[in-house]
Amino acid sequence: MSVQVAAPAVELKELSGPMDKAAGPPCEPVTAHTPGHAVAAAQCSLPATERETAPAAASSSSSSSSCGSGGGERPPLSGCPGLSATGLPLGAAKVPQASAMKRSDPHHPQHRHRDGGDNGGGCTAEALVSPDGTVTEAPRTVKKIQFADQKQEFNKRPTKIGRRSLSRSISQSSTDSYSSAASYTDSSDDETSPRDKQQKNSKGSSDFCVKNIKQAEFGRREIEIAEQEMPALMALRKRAQGEKPLAGAKIVGCTHITAQTAVLMETLGALGAQCRWAACNIYSTLNEVAAALAESGFPVFAWKGESEDDFWWCIDRCVNVEGWQPNMILDDGGDLTHWIYKKYPNMFKKIKGIVEESVTGVHRLYQLSKAGKLCVPAMNVNDSVTKQKFDNLYCCRESILDGLKRTTDMMFGGKQVVVCGYGEVGKGCCAALKAMGSIVYVTEIDPICALQACMDGFRLVKLNEVIRQVDIVITCTGNKNVVTREHLDRMKNSCIVCNMGHSNTEIDVASLRTPELTWERVRSQVDHVIWPDGKRIVLLAEGRLLNLSCSTVPTFVLSITATTQALALIELYNAPEGRYKQDVYLLPKKMDEYVASLHLPTFDAHLTELTDEQAKYLGLNKNGPFKPNYYSSCQPDVAHGRVVPPSDANSDDSFIFNL
């Protein structure tokens, strides 16, 4: 007998075809019923002539619910387990008039079977029970009953899950877990744009724009968790909050808004700065964290899933505010700097400096410097040793797998992957995929990086050579049009395409928005782009940064970058006039080494100290720096020829904030 969860009524449907007469051993006599049998009888029904009398009979059976108690009971039947002594299903006190049959419990071990199949107790056919207890074979025509009031958990799914397609419910758990990536951010049913909402925090302020201020409590918990994994930033906050080295600083920021950057923002506030913040990526914002910051009094303008128009509107709301003008910029990608140059160039008269984190933003700064249009000093955090060797390498080594797993649920073993670019990000991606058993190819334009890829055991190819055979394409070059429409047309069916660079320019996504191609949303940040012949590719995050758009990143690694950003802001803000000119600067190595040293206690690590003789032999100060200023993992001073570190950057008294 088939059971279906249906509309609120009991409906009988004729099923054609003979009943399965699979043979099986007879059922053992039932002398007592377990509580599980009280739900329903297994594969047993009443004849049609007895349906009208079933309610009365069921009532009588309910008066003696145990086979082993009371007098005047019928002897145990040898039919199917789950029958009461009266021959009726247990618990059948309220049987609909249309039928006296009850649904078998699908979760009981004796009832996990289909029509006519073995139920584990030997019953293989339907049975009819007459009032005198005689059991006969059921008719060939089976009644299919649809029950409406079934309140199983699986029937309680919402019919609308935010902006996501219901087709993703089959693997919903991969991104809907209670993690910082998706718990409250992706599951909101409210489609109203935050720009159209009137929200206030508990202090009555409305100088913010977030998805839902009521999520602040959840975001605060995430921030508190992140603080435990950011020892250097918390140590800096504790040490410097008394000195207030950023007192009077008005910092406008444009970064990913996550729990980790929230710890940075609150640290800057503790050091005396006023901050206004927007997101540098339309998909990376954690709504609950943005709400927590807004509740704490930070003017935050960001939410997950912004449109392009929303993105620039949020940046403008941070910059263009009456009675407040920034004097420092913290940027990630260069969009904030670009907007101020384009819309409010006069603001640079009061801005003391720019701190830029990403390779894309650094390229823009060098272009401005080369053209003579950079009118304030800028600190290149991206090319600092702590950023390159830790954030770019180790962070991406872990987060690439996380992002791919959450979005595609794929297995990496044996998959053919091509990674475009073998800088620090590419190195991290390749190492992780190789360790998981993937066959990894690398494309590269730089002979030095190319040689490193070969020495690390990867095959160096041109993208055209492998584009037809690879299962995954990953870009991490910082360039544009690395994967073109021609490449996309030649990819195999179900090829996964994603980007690990900051900007969404590496994959030519715009060329896919044409009438002949169909876009199908599979789940959050996952789209099928379908060709007329049925071929499809799997595009992740619409070509934007995969790890922060689709998953999370290791907090500890971000502590290194965030501490470096904080120190760069302190240095630029407090530097005496003339120390930094209108150019792009690398962080002095002493600052890099200080940031690294703050994280060593987490590992109970103990540094070896030079003896006086050893220090003299090497020509070094015993306390560092141990690397020259021109040292870098990628040597941007050679690549660009525009980095001019201050001449006294490595002396102990070179910093306003004494390290």
Side-chain angles (χ1 to χ4, degrees), residues 318-337:
C318 285
V319 175
N320 184 22
V321 55
E322 186 177 353
W324 194 91
Q325 181 172 326
N327 52 26
M328 294 294 295
I329 295 175
L330 179 57
D331 210 354
D332 186 353
D335 293 312
L336 174 59
T337 304

Side-chain angles (χ1 to χ4, degrees), residues 384-609:
S384 65
V385 177
T386 47
K387 174 68 164 57
Q388 284 285 325
K389 286 191 174 295
F390 296 95
D391 193 337
N392 290 15
L393 175 61
Y394 298 115
C395 176
C396 295
R397 189 176 69 181
E398 297 194 16
S399 60
I400 178 63
L401 301 180
D402 188 16
L404 287 170
K405 276 288 187 188
R406 292 199 196 201
T407 51
T408 65
D409 302 318
M410 71 176 304
M411 184 173 182
F412 299 107
K415 293 294 191 299
Q416 296 191 58
V417 186
V418 59
V419 177
C420 302
Y422 202 68
E424 298 303 317
V425 174
K427 288 180 174 70
C429 294
C430 289
L433 291 163
K434 181 180 180 181
M436 295 300 292
S438 297
I439 302 166
V440 183
Y441 304 96
V442 172
T443 71
E444 182 54 72
I445 62 169
D446 183 345
I448 297 175
C449 292
L451 182 58
Q452 285 181 301
C454 294
M455 298 287 284
D456 288 336
F458 302 107
R459 183 182 171 192
L460 190 74
V461 297
K462 292 183 177 180
L463 187 56
N464 285 331
E465 297 171 359
V466 295
I467 196 63
R468 290 187 181 275
Q469 68 193 59
V470 293
D471 302 292
I472 309 173
V473 178
I474 303 171
T475 58
C476 42
T477 67
N479 206 340
K480 67 178 294 187
N481 293 337
V482 178
V483 177
T484 65
R485 176 60 188 269
E486 180 184 356
H487 295 128
L488 296 163
D489 287 337
R490 297 175 60 200
M491 288 178 183
K492 66 190 293 187
N493 185 49
S494 297
C495 181
I496 297 170
V497 187
C498 62
N499 170 45
M500 282 291 286
H502 176 85
S503 179
N504 62 337
T505 59
E506 301 200 33
I507 302 168
D508 188 10
V509 177
S511 68
L512 297 177
R513 302 189 185 277
T514 56
E516 73 272 13
L517 300 183
T518 302
W519 284 61
E520 179 182 84
R521 175 54 55 97
V522 181
R523 59 169 70 166
S524 180
Q525 314 303 332
V526 182
D527 290 288
H528 281 171
V529 183
I530 307 171
W531 269 249
D533 63 356
K535 185 200 86 169
R536 64 184 62 199
I537 64 169
V538 183
L539 180 64
L540 305 183
E542 297 184 19
R544 297 180 184 272
L545 181 58
L546 172 69
N547 54 3
L548 279 160
S549 296
C550 302
S551 61
T552 59
V553 292
T555 300
F556 185 82
V557 170
L558 291 189
S559 174
I560 301 173
T561 301
T563 306
T564 305
Q565 289 173 307
L567 289 174
L569 286 166
I570 293 172
E571 175 64 17
L572 279 179
Y573 180 69
N574 293 282
E577 188 175 353
R579 170 177 287 184
Y580 296 99
K581 297 178 171 43
Q582 297 172 353
D583 213 332
V584 183
Y585 292 86
L586 281 175
L587 285 170
K589 292 301 168 289
K590 188 173 179 74
M591 190 180 292
D592 269 329
E593 292 171 3
Y594 175 69
V595 171
S597 68
L598 289 176
H599 290 84
L600 290 176
T602 302
F603 304 99
D604 192 24
H606 306 278
L607 282 172
T608 301
E609 296 183 5

Side-chain angles (χ1 to χ4, degrees), residues 18-26 114-119 122-126 137 140:
M19 178 183 296
D20 187 0
K21 293 185 177 181
R114 297 290 182 184
D115 295 345
D118 187 6
N119 65 3
C123 292
T124 57
E126 300 282 352
E137 184 181 4
R140 300 288 180 172

